[in-house]
Amino acid sequence: MWDKLLGTLLKQLIKEGSLTVHLNSGTIFTVGNGAAPNVTVRLKHDGLAGKLIRNPELAMGEAYMDETLTIDNDDVRGLLTLVVQNFQGGNLPLSQSIARKLRIAKRKWDQWIPHATAKKNAEHHYDISTPFYYLFLDDDKQYTCAYFKDPSFTLEEAQAAKKAHIAGKLLIEPGMKVLDIGSGWGGLAITLAKDYGAKVVGLTLSDEQRKAATLRAKEAGVADLVEFRLQDYRDNTEQFDRIVSVGMLEHVGQPQYPTYFRQIEKNLKEDGVALIHFIGRTGPPGNLSPWFQKYIFPGGYTPSLSEVVSVVEKSSLEAADIEVWRTHYDRTLYEWLIRFEDQLDKVREMGYDERFIRMWRYYLIASELSLSDMPHVLYHVQLHKHQTTVPITRDYLYVDGASQPHSSFPEGFVPKK
């Protein structure tokens, strides 16, 4: 019964491209119009068809991790591209459309993140192992979207450009006190101290990150200017000239947005500037994939711009500027994927098994496609409390007057399968 239902569901979903399915029973069927991408999958467990029908996003990722679903030539990119393109084409079967609406309806429950849950969520992802992350990140250990001001940039150059762009928007001056909410492995805080003379307090809920960042600040000679704390953003009572939050809003949880922006309002001085850098939706509110919720970012969510701006409007904060980065994050994720794949021997030497490797590959490719083929972008929301705190044009950011590229990828670039 489940095999037959799965065939019916896939026939409704896959209209563009081609998917050939080998069921564990020996049955083989193909759906789609025969165009690229052409993908072949093999189901190796009798119960998998039922799981794919009941919760396809979770079951497909789990089955790939467990090898109960294999893809010919390990073409994860091809399979996910096929699914995403047809989903975005509006081919979602009625049963899955209803299930998705139910998940969206319960997302506020899923994203209710008190202090203890916030710490647990951070530890789940960021305390995997600092040396593991260092295998595929740039030299400065930036685990957020790079800024490919020039498509020829290396990942290192693009991450340096990202930090310089952020510093420019913060209008940093020597001696300013800066709060970095979600400070990661410390690269941005160290740069703001070393290159701009700021005094920075970085907040993280990952002790692994705090230890690594503290050591890096000492090695960079700015230990007297930078302090990294294991502290929830809701517990900080100080005031700062500048506040920056890079890749943190995605972990706050939508029900906590009023608290998050009230906290920024309290922590920011009257003449201060804040910058919120986050992945967001160009469409209406949605929900995070249940596979991502379980394995990658518990409590995570990429908000629509309306969900953010509507909360800011209820505070004394004002949007000074909103910038949209398109194609920068999918290029960043692609660069991480290539480096990750090149370091698999070292990943194994660290004790990570093949299931973990498949999980990480699936995560990086799925994330890249969510930025390239789904309605996601990177937002910069610059905030202040008075209309004249920030310059009224962007000329201060682009003093060279250089034109911007149409894509962060080099012309003619085709991602590797």
Side-chain angles (χ1 to χ4, degrees), residues 187-313:
L188 177 61
I190 291 168
T191 297
L192 294 179
K194 188 174 182 178
D195 296 348
Y196 298 89
K199 298 177 181 178
V200 188
V201 173
L203 305 184
T204 178
L205 293 178
S206 166
D207 201 37
E208 282 285 315
Q209 287 188 330
R210 184 192 63 80
K211 290 175 182 176
T214 299
L215 176 62
R216 294 186 65 215
K218 183 177 180 181
E219 292 172 345
V222 292
D224 59 327
L225 293 176
V226 182
E227 177 189 359
F228 294 103
R229 301 176 186 171
L230 195 66
Q231 185 182 50
D232 192 290
Y233 71 92
R234 290 166 284 198
D235 296 332
N236 191 282
T237 59
E238 302 160 63
Q239 281 205 315
F240 297 84
D241 300 293
R242 303 290 186 260
I243 297 175
V244 64
S245 182
V246 179
M248 170 65 184
L249 186 64
E250 301 93 320
H251 304 288
V252 167
Q254 194 270 344
Q256 284 74 234
Y257 287 177
T259 300
Y260 176 81
F261 285 103
R262 277 199 304 269
Q263 193 65 39
I264 290 174
E265 181 182 16
K266 292 175 185 176
N267 291 146
L268 188 66
K269 292 182 178 179
E270 281 298 308
D271 59 351
V273 178
L275 182 70
I276 316 301
H277 165 127
F278 64 97
I279 306 169
R281 300 168 188 269
T282 57
N287 71 295
L288 190 68
S289 154
W291 184 84
F292 271 78
Q293 285 275 1
K294 183 174 181 179
Y295 290 100
I296 308 299
F297 294 121
Y301 178 60
T302 53
S304 64
L305 187 59
S306 62
E307 291 177 288
V308 174
V309 174
S310 62
V311 176
V312 171
E313 289 171 350

Side-chain angles (χ1 to χ4, degrees), residues 329-346:
Y329 217 154
D330 36 312
R331 171 75 185 274
T332 303
L333 285 153
Y334 178 78
E335 297 289 342
W336 289 344
L337 173 68
I338 296 303
R339 293 180 181 213
F340 170 74
E341 297 286 4
D342 286 344
Q343 297 288 342
L344 290 186
D345 287 343
K346 291 183 179 178

Side-chain angles (χ1 to χ4, degrees), residues 116-178:
T117 302
K119 182 167 175 55
K120 184 178 178 181
N121 289 349
E123 290 170 347
H124 176 92
H125 191 78
Y126 297 104
D127 282 1
I128 291 174
S129 160
T130 292
F132 167 73
Y133 283 101
Y134 285 10
L135 290 177
F136 64 89
L137 297 181
D138 66 296
D139 293 341
D140 195 43
K141 322 309 177 193
Q142 294 291 300
Y143 191 38
T144 53
C145 181
Y147 185 47
F148 290 89
K149 190 175 180 181
D150 187 313
S152 69
F153 275 3
T154 64
L155 182 61
E156 277 71 21
E157 290 171 328
Q159 291 291 14
K162 183 264 297 290
K163 291 183 292 177
H165 196 60
I166 288 173
K169 286 189 173 183
L170 290 172
L171 298 154
I172 294 286
E173 295 179 7
M176 281 187 169
K177 191 175 179 183
V178 180

